[in-house]
Amino acid sequence: MADPLTYDPTEYPPFAVTVDVVAVTVRKGQLALLRVERGEEPHRGQWALPGGFVKPDEDLATAAARELAEETGVDDLAGHLEQLQTYGAPDRDPRMRVVTVAYLAFAPSSQLPQAGTDAAGARWWSIDDATNMTLAYDHNQILRDGVERARSKLEYTSLAAAFVDEPFTAAELRRVYEAVWDVRLDPGNFWRKLSSTPSLLVPLDTRAESGPDGGRPAQLFRRGTATQLHPALLRPRHGGNR
Amino acid sequence: MADPLTYDPTEYPPFAVTVDVVAVTVRKGQLALLRVERGEEPHRGQWALPGGFVKPDEDLATAAARELAEETGVDDLAGHLEQLQTYGAPDRDPRMRVVTVAYLAFAPSSQLPQAGTDAAGARWWSIDDATNMTLAYDHNQILRDGVERARSKLEYTSLAAAFVDEPFTAAELRRVYEAVWDVRLDPGNFWRKLSSTPSLLVPLDTRAESGPDGGRPAQLFRRGTATQLHPALLRPRHGGNR
DNA sequence: TCAATAGTGTCTGTAAGACAGTATTGT
DNA sequence: ACAATACTGTCTTACAGACACTATTGA
């Protein structure tokens, strides 16, 4: 029985399949995460990740993008959406067997629903607030995994640029790293690292206006074709390997 | 509709959930992959990954381990099993909607089903043969993703040791890297790298016997507590970043 | 002028990789 | 002795990180 190669299509265990989205952005210099408030039992009044059923003829990634759009108004995600992991413990939903495919979304801050809008009970929470909150189901675990994946991806991909709008400056990109990793990076070393990676950033002819406190106007860039950072830009480690 | 938070448990789209396993080992100095032969339509006679239905009260990882055991006889996997990715394109199974959660298994060569045993039509294929074969469903894609994940994991984890039996020598571990990456590594540099990573390898008091061609007997090790390699042991790159 | 931000120069330490040299075995 | 395998030494180069220095702006 349960042989995948010989099964009878009319006799399969009943599963529901959902998608949940860990949506990540940078707000006020901090990593921020999207939550929606539950209006129904179970877990009524608790916060959860945006998500929902996959439709019968819908691709998994499409379902994730649709749920994100429906619950947050982020319609055509300008950032990045990738599969995170699948969670399917038998008791993760109290009512029935639900397997959920989690996705990780990187949203540019320009595309966020405003803090007050709150169309469907959706809100961004800073990482500090977010980690001190109990979410419905196993969403705390999913969220932790999503945050760790996001942090890790910045090390060896160009995905930090998914958080900023073009054109952008090196400092804007640096502030993405600083927010996601919660560290300070040396501006000079950061500049050298990024500008020496071929095809990562395309310098424009224009320069940014200087900020409210003055300062030399910064070089503007748009995203290049490189998707990988090599060598990687590693997070500063405080401990060693033991 | 399709709101995950408010759905009626009796009205959900009908999905089947399966697991498929990309089982990887090292045989004759080459990366090798496990396949099973299909005995039923569709795709009768084609080769596929081992896998099958998740039972109603079974965890996903448990299902993967069980299917691997059922179809290969590898009963209590001594290596490593991790979730790879989930594949759920609406048309990936011609008969109905099937979402499959793929797992990646690292098996030590000592635990392999023998080449002739073939209890349930299962066989190991070298990576060269394996990539020139058409598998059922989207299993070619799953397999490619699994191989890439395996190669990548050796870079920054201690998982190469999941392919060898304790106690083992540095050369055995090196041959795992060489097989998985299909490269030659400098024995001296490899030795220095591994032995300088704290808690990765525990040296034993005994030494291995020397091989058929003689040579100095090698230091024996068992696995240490470290699971991450830091800094990473990167694959040699032939091109650069462009 | 000064404060602030952008970017450059320079030094130091760690580590990768090439490769030569020594150690210990079997034949 | 020689071949084979296991290490060890040493040199070169790349790069991360610290930090001083120059460049260009607003106030």
Side-chain angles (χ1 to χ4, degrees), chain A residues 14-16 53 90 92-98, chain B residues 7-10 12:
Chain A
F15 280 78
F53 276 123
R92 60 177 296 281
D93 189 303
R95 292 155 305 175
M96 62 173 302
R97 186 71 195 265
V98 179
Chain B
Y7 67 91
D8 174 352
T10 64
Y12 59 89

Side-chain angles (χ1 to χ4, degrees), chain B residues 207-231:
Chain B
R207 303 184 77 82
E209 295 176 3
S210 50
D213 297 330
R216 174 174 164 184
Q219 178 64 248
L220 285 170
F221 298 93
R222 54 181 178 78
R223 289 178 270 274
T225 54
T227 58
Q228 305 293 313
L229 242 52
H230 190 75

Side-chain angles (χ1 to χ4, degrees), chain A residues 2 4-7 9 12-17 36 38 40-41 51-60 67 71 83 85-90 93 95-98 101 197-199 226 228-230 234 237 241-242, chain B residues 2 4-7 9 12-17 36 38 40-41 51-60 67 71 83 85-90 93 95-98 101 197-199 226 228-230 234 237 241-242:
Chain A
L5 310 177
T6 62
Y7 67 90
Y12 59 89
F15 280 78
V17 175
V36 296
R38 286 184 56 79
E40 299 294 321
E41 295 299 338
F53 276 123
V54 179
K55 295 182 177 176
D57 288 308
E58 188 180 43
D59 192 63
L60 298 175
E67 289 291 345
E71 305 196 18
Q83 194 181 304
Q85 228 195 309
T86 296
Y87 300 82
D93 189 303
R95 292 155 305 175
M96 62 173 302
R97 186 71 195 265
V98 179
V101 185
T197 301
S199 309
Q228 305 295 311
L229 241 52
H230 191 74
L234 297 174
R237 309 248 167 187
N241 189 356
R242 35 186 56 259
Chain B
L5 309 178
T6 62
Y7 67 91
Y12 59 89
F15 280 80
V17 176
V36 296
R38 289 184 55 80
E40 299 293 322
E41 294 300 338
F53 277 123
V54 179
K55 294 182 176 175
D57 288 308
E58 187 181 43
D59 192 63
L60 299 175
E67 289 291 345
E71 306 198 15
Q83 195 181 301
Q85 228 196 311
T86 296
Y87 301 81
D93 188 302
R95 293 156 304 174
M96 62 173 305
R97 186 69 194 268
V98 179
V101 183
T197 301
S199 309
Q228 305 293 313
L229 242 52
H230 190 75
L234 296 174
R237 309 248 166 188
N241 191 355
R242 32 186 58 258

Side-chain angles (χ1 to χ4, degrees), chain A residues 138-152:
Chain A
D138 51 2
H139 286 186
N140 278 92
Q141 179 66 47
I142 299 178
L143 190 132
R144 270 196 303 278
D145 293 345
V147 169
E148 176 50 32
R149 170 83 69 93
R151 287 180 167 152
S152 165

Side-chain angles (χ1 to χ4, degrees), chain B residues 116-140:
Chain B
T117 306
D118 221 337
R123 253 203 66 180
W124 292 92
W125 300 77
S126 79
I127 180 75
D128 289 342
D129 298 337
T131 50
N132 292 320
M133 244 170 98
T134 302
L135 297 186
Y137 306 108
D138 50 3
H139 286 185
N140 277 94

Side-chain angles (χ1 to χ4, degrees), chain B residues 30-221:
Chain B
Q30 277 206 312
L31 187 60
L33 297 152
L34 192 70
R35 307 287 181 70
V36 296
E37 193 170 10
R38 289 184 55 80
E40 299 293 322
E41 294 300 338
H43 305 295
R44 180 194 293 270
Q46 276 192 49
W47 293 84
L49 299 176
F53 277 123
V54 179
K55 294 182 176 175
D57 288 308
E58 187 181 43
D59 192 63
L60 299 175
T62 307
R66 175 181 53 76
E67 289 291 345
L68 185 62
E70 285 179 8
E71 306 198 15
T72 69
V74 176
D75 219 337
D76 180 33
L77 182 69
H80 169 77
L81 185 69
E82 69 177 44
Q83 195 181 301
L84 178 57
Q85 228 196 311
T86 296
Y87 301 81
D91 58 353
R92 61 177 296 281
D93 188 302
R95 293 156 304 174
M96 62 173 305
R97 186 69 194 268
V98 179
V99 168
T100 195
V101 183
Y103 277 79
L104 178 62
F106 288 19
S109 44
S110 65
Q111 245 198 355
L112 306 182
Q114 294 306 337
T117 306
D118 221 337
R123 253 203 66 180
W124 292 92
W125 300 77
S126 79
I127 180 75
D128 289 342
D129 298 337
T131 50
N132 292 320
M133 244 170 98
T134 302
L135 297 186
Y137 306 108
D138 50 3
H139 286 185
N140 277 94
Q141 179 66 45
I142 299 177
L143 190 132
R144 270 197 302 280
D145 293 345
V147 169
E148 176 50 32
R149 170 81 70 92
R151 287 180 167 153
S152 164
K153 276 251 157 174
L154 291 204
E155 295 192 325
Y156 57 94
T157 72
S158 61
L159 281 176
F163 290 108
V164 297
D165 291 303
E166 292 183 317
F168 52 87
T169 68
E172 287 168 341
L173 211 47
R174 176 166 49 82
R175 280 187 280 269
V176 169
Y177 278 91
E178 293 180 333
V180 175
W181 289 347
D182 191 25
V183 295
R184 264 355 72 189
L185 297 178
D186 181 275
N189 292 337
F190 184 83
W191 166 271
R192 191 175 3 246
K193 172 74 185 173
L194 290 204
S195 57
S196 69
T197 301
S199 309
L200 181 67
L201 301 179
V202 180
L204 306 180
D205 291 334
T206 44
R207 303 184 77 82
E209 295 176 3
S210 50
D213 297 330
R216 174 174 164 184
Q219 178 64 248
L220 285 170
F221 298 93

Side-chain angles (χ1 to χ4, degrees), chain A residues 6-41:
Chain A
T6 62
Y7 67 90
D8 175 351
T10 63
E11 289 180 22
Y12 59 89
F15 280 78
V17 175
T18 60
V19 288
D20 286 304
V21 181
V22 179
V24 176
T25 193
V26 174
R27 263 167 56 104
K28 303 175 193 157
Q30 277 206 310
L31 186 61
L33 298 153
L34 193 70
R35 308 287 181 71
V36 296
E37 195 171 9
R38 286 184 56 79
E40 299 294 321
E41 295 299 338

